[in-house]
Amino acid sequence: MYRLLFLMLMPLCMAAKNEPFTLTVEPGEYTIEQALQQARLARLHGSVQDGFVVLKLQPGTYRLSQPVILRPEDSGTRIVAEGDVRLSGGVAIGGWRRQGRLWVADVPLWNGRPLEFRQLWVNGRKAVRARDVSDFEQMHRILSVDKQREIIYVPRQAVAKLSALISQPSSLNSQPSSLNPQLSSLNPQLSSLNSQLSTIEMVLHEMWCIANLRIKGITVQGDSAALTFHQPESHVHFMHPWPSPMVTPDGQHNSAFYLTGAKELLDQPGEWWLDVRAQKLYYMPLPGEDMRTAEVIAPALETLLMAEGTPDEPVKDVTLEGITFEHATWLRPSIKGHAPLQAGMYMIEAYKIRPQISRPNGDHKLDNQGWVGRPAAAVAVNCATNLRFEGCTFRHTASTALDCHRYVDGGTIDRCTFSDIGGTAILAGSFGPEGHEAHLPYNPFDRREICTGLVISNNRIDDAANEDWGCLGIGAGFVRGIRILHNEVSNVSYTGISVGWGWNQQPCAMADNVVRGNYIHHYARHMYDTAGIYTLGAQPHTMVEENVVDSIYSPGYVHDPEHWFYLYTDEGSSGITVHRNWTPAEKFLKNANGPGNTWEDNGPLVNDSIKHKAGPPKSHDH
């Protein structure tokens, strides 16, 4: 039926010579997907001059049930917002009923299945998933770790709010301070209660990453409690050496953690909890919030838009202008947990190597191996040439906002705004495919695979990595010839801008990158071992210059309060020139660097003109 409709409409939409083939799209029955299909058919029938198509999106919210997909057949298309245009992966939840201090609503099915989510927005504000502390400075610290038995011991008071879910047999007080592995099987009540823990997570602070560990069992023993966790994250988490939960001799800097995902933790205004099994949502309103009229949005889609070509037939010359992408979810931590290596890249397999193995050419001895996967993205780009995002807005995403991954050649991300981002705002380049060991240089035979020539410029990033604290403002892996220019990055939980991967100084695919004129401030909101600008690996002829880094956070729960920096060239960093960067002090780190790095004229004495030019035009006044 649609094909017939398209063919009937084509004579009315024929483009005059040298004029674009233009389609107008409005929220409702005629979707962006249908408009793209109509344009493809017009191309096939010769109705489009020079392959130039314009889709004019009319104001409104476009609720998506599946991602919009840009294909090679869409090359030469401009998709332009004619006003306030929002592509949303969210579902509205209404029908709220009062239940004591709480309000409750039924969660609708989505695409025929129960809807699960980890974020919620109420009247445009991100609500808090119920947790045991409202102030992160009040987080408890772990007591000890038994890696062999995959147990973390915590203070008993840390699980006090979950007392209704924990059975405490009279014989428990006589148990030693180690977990009795037979306890749950001997006490059916405890086993039954622990089965209710499947949605509760421990979010564990680990140096430069956090781990999301789904709790399988809690056993109280005297003044401590033993936590065990579901697979696969338990096995991966306890096998890998870096990062690890910290346990210090005095206990003062042991890893901090919070608990989330239980109704018993729902005790503060602005918090919510989802009963996944009953499909009911509970919320405690803030003062003045009327749930009868509130707009409540839960995210349902992980990816809102994809550019998906092939290496030989990429998506070419597509421009997206002025579009808002919002309400994207991220479900991996609820299904498989989340144990990252760095920069949000989660470990699939990892283990220690004992004894350590020597490596050639000055690299550190190898003490572990690991393989990583990549988090979901609200907008995902693969196999694309000269794809442009201009003046777009990315907000309310649970994981990566915009990801330019493999076979990306050229393109721009310019004058875009990123806010309320759960993971990394802008991610570029491969961090190695899942079959590639993370410590090896990556230099694929097909060099087209490497993200090359991308320009990331004049963007404003604020409030990034607010779900996965180990993520970044802008992150680039194995990239070549990319330019990160005049962006502003602020209120990010870890590092502002990170370029490189691999922890070695061997030749690889990276080279010729430029990080210039950026303004990074108020970074490291939650994590340390960090910097405003951070590099890894060999990347000859790379320039880090004329940036401004200022105003780091000082969270009280980090593992080492002094282990932070303005500029940081980490393991294997080679062939990089770092010069004319303004920082308030010369607090820099050069850790296990390779050859060919040049440091010149960095610190508080850099000319004031550098300060005035950094960031997007008129972004700040130093």
Side-chain angles (χ1 to χ4, degrees):
M1 175 178 139
Y2 284 129
R3 186 173 188 277
L4 179 61
L5 175 62
F6 294 164
L7 293 173
M8 291 172 60
L9 286 173
M10 263 182 241
L12 303 176
C13 301
M14 293 271 297
K17 189 173 183 178
N18 298 323
E19 292 184 3
F21 180 90
T22 302
L23 295 171
T24 298
V25 186
E26 298 190 14
E29 292 299 320
Y30 185 62
T31 66
I32 298 172
E33 177 188 62
Q34 291 167 1
L36 289 170
Q37 292 172 356
Q38 182 173 343
R40 292 170 195 163
L41 288 171
R43 286 185 174 97
L44 289 173
H45 286 81
S47 304
V48 177
Q49 299 294 324
D50 300 322
F52 188 28
V53 170
V54 176
L55 303 188
K56 293 185 176 181
L57 307 186
Q58 300 307 294
T61 299
Y62 295 72
R63 301 273 181 205
L64 305 176
S65 59
Q66 62 185 26
V68 174
I69 303 177
L70 300 174
R71 304 188 184 279
E73 289 76 9
D74 302 312
S75 294
T77 297
R78 288 179 60 222
I79 305 177
V80 182
E82 302 257 292
D84 184 8
V85 171
R86 306 179 184 187
L87 271 60
S88 172
V91 173
I93 297 179
W96 290 89
R97 311 176 296 279
R98 187 188 294 274
Q99 191 177 93
R101 293 182 65 195
L102 305 179
W103 287 70
V104 61
D106 296 322
V107 176
L109 294 175
W110 188 77
N111 285 356
R113 295 182 59 82
L115 178 62
E116 185 172 0
F117 47 89
R118 301 171 56 83
Q119 298 77 33
L120 190 74
W121 290 276
V122 179
N123 294 327
R125 175 191 55 82
K126 188 175 186 177
V128 176
R129 191 175 181 223
R131 62 182 188 233
D132 62 332
V133 293
S134 56
D135 180 358
F136 291 123
E137 293 292 342
Q138 302 302 315
M139 286 190 291
H140 295 280
R141 294 181 183 270
I142 65 173
L143 298 176
S144 62
V145 178
D146 185 338
K147 287 199 170 188
Q148 183 176 0
R149 296 159 70 191
E150 301 182 5
I151 299 168
I152 295 178
Y153 292 94
V154 302
R156 177 174 181 161
Q157 68 182 92
V159 298
K161 291 182 179 180
L162 303 176
S163 59
L165 299 179
I166 305 168
S167 177
Q168 302 176 40
S170 58
S171 61
L172 190 59
N173 291 333
S174 64
Q175 297 293 326
S177 59
S178 61
L179 175 68
N180 180 348
Q182 303 300 320
L183 188 58
S184 292
S185 61
L186 291 174
N187 191 301
Q189 182 186 14
L190 178 60
S191 180
S192 174
L193 289 167
N194 277 346
S195 71
Q196 300 176 40
L197 297 173
S198 60
T199 63
I200 304 178
E201 293 175 19
M202 176 189 227
V203 182
L204 181 62
H205 192 286
E206 297 180 311
M207 304 183 192
W208 56 85
C209 291
I210 61 166
N212 297 76
L213 305 174
R214 297 170 300 147
I215 296 175
K216 180 179 180 181
I218 303 176
T219 304
V220 172
Q221 301 170 282
D223 60 359
S224 67
L227 306 187
T228 58
F229 308 96
H230 289 285
Q231 303 297 354
E233 69 266 32
S234 181
H235 180 65
V236 171
H237 179 262
F238 287 101
M239 281 196 72
H240 77 84
W242 305 110
S244 289
M246 296 294 294
V247 178
T248 58
D250 61 4
Q252 295 300 307
H253 294 99
N254 289 5
S255 285
F257 68 94
Y258 68 89
L259 304 177
T260 185
K263 189 176 183 181
E264 289 75 12
L265 306 178
L266 178 48
D267 56 7
Q268 296 292 323
E271 290 188 334
W272 62 274
W273 176 70
L274 171 64
D275 186 336
V276 176
R277 292 180 176 84
Q279 283 291 282
K280 293 188 181 298
L281 176 62
Y282 296 85
Y283 179 70
M284 185 180 291
L286 292 168
E289 280 184 333
D290 185 349
M291 299 310 296
R292 295 167 296 185
T293 59
E295 179 191 59
V296 180
I297 303 294
L301 269 182
E302 286 194 324
T303 301
L304 312 179
L305 181 139
M306 304 166 59
E308 199 68 38
T310 71
D312 297 320
E313 291 291 338
V315 181
K316 296 180 180 179
D317 302 317
V318 172
T319 300
L320 298 103
E321 297 180 21
I323 301 168
T324 294
F325 300 91
E326 62 183 6
H327 305 136
T329 193
W330 179 46
L331 292 178
R332 180 181 173 84
S334 293
I335 300 169
K336 296 184 178 180
H338 182 57
L341 175 61
Q342 190 167 308
M345 303 297 147
Y346 58 83
M347 285 181 285
I348 300 168
E349 181 183 1
Y351 47 80
K352 291 182 179 179
I353 297 175
R354 295 293 183 270
Q356 299 177 5
I357 297 175
S358 295
R359 292 193 288 176
N361 302 323
D363 286 330
H364 272 198
K365 287 186 176 181
L366 190 64
D367 69 354
N368 73 99
Q369 288 189 297
W371 292 261
V372 299
R374 196 177 185 97
V379 176
V381 178
N382 285 287
C383 301
T385 298
N386 198 29
L387 193 68
R388 296 180 292 272
F389 293 87
E390 299 179 356
C392 293
T393 297
F394 300 80
R395 65 188 181 195
H396 306 329
T397 73
S399 186
T400 306
L402 173 55
D403 187 354
C404 296
H405 186 185
R406 301 171 67 236
Y407 294 97
V408 174
D409 182 14
T412 59
I413 304 166
D414 186 60
R415 295 173 290 108
C416 295
T417 300
F418 298 78
S419 62
D420 183 17
I421 306 301
T424 296
I426 302 173
L427 201 57
S430 172
F431 286 70
E434 292 188 1
H436 180 81
E437 203 281 315
H439 301 88
L440 294 175
Y442 187 57
N443 205 1
F445 178 79
D446 187 349
R447 300 301 292 273
R448 298 174 302 170
E449 181 179 334
I450 299 301
C451 177
T452 303
L454 177 67
V455 177
I456 302 170
S457 57
N458 303 307
N459 302 289
R460 289 180 170 86
I461 298 169
D462 184 71
D463 187 19
N466 62 28
E467 287 280 333
D468 184 349
W469 292 352
C471 287
L472 314 159
I474 300 173
F478 292 104
V479 293
R480 193 175 187 92
I482 77 164
R483 299 166 66 83
I484 303 173
L485 310 174
H486 291 282
N487 303 281
E488 181 176 6
V489 179
S490 61
N491 294 305
V492 62
S493 296
Y494 179 44
T495 289
I497 298 175
S498 175
V499 181
W501 198 247
W503 291 273
N504 70 80
Q505 56 184 278
Q506 311 313 314
C508 66
M510 297 185 293
D512 303 312
N513 301 308
V514 176
V515 181
R516 178 188 299 136
N518 300 282
Y519 177 37
I520 300 114
H521 60 100
H522 296 93
Y523 64 101
R525 183 164 49 184
H526 296 298
M527 312 301 293
Y528 266 23
D529 193 13
T530 185
I533 301 175
Y534 171 94
T535 66
L536 270 175
Q539 36 188 314
H541 313 298
T542 287
M543 310 293 290
V544 177
E545 59 184 1
E546 300 181 2
N547 302 283
V548 171
V549 181
D550 197 3
S551 302
I552 188 169
Y553 281 99
S554 55
Y557 41 83
V558 297
H559 69 286
D560 182 348
E562 296 303 317
H563 201 63
W564 63 267
F565 307 94
Y566 295 116
L567 305 172
Y568 186 168
T569 50
D570 203 1
E571 289 195 41
S573 291
S574 310
I576 302 171
T577 297
V578 183
H579 67 163
R580 296 198 302 275
N581 298 284
W582 187 92
T583 62
E586 294 184 12
K587 190 167 174 53
F588 311 138
L589 183 62
K590 309 166 191 177
N591 178 47
N593 287 182
N597 292 332
T598 301
W599 288 71
E600 296 176 336
D601 192 20
N602 301 289
L605 300 181
V606 171
N607 192 287
D608 281 350
S609 65
I610 300 298
K611 296 171 64 177
H612 296 313
K613 294 177 183 177
K618 300 180 181 179
S619 68
H620 60 89
D621 183 11
H622 291 307

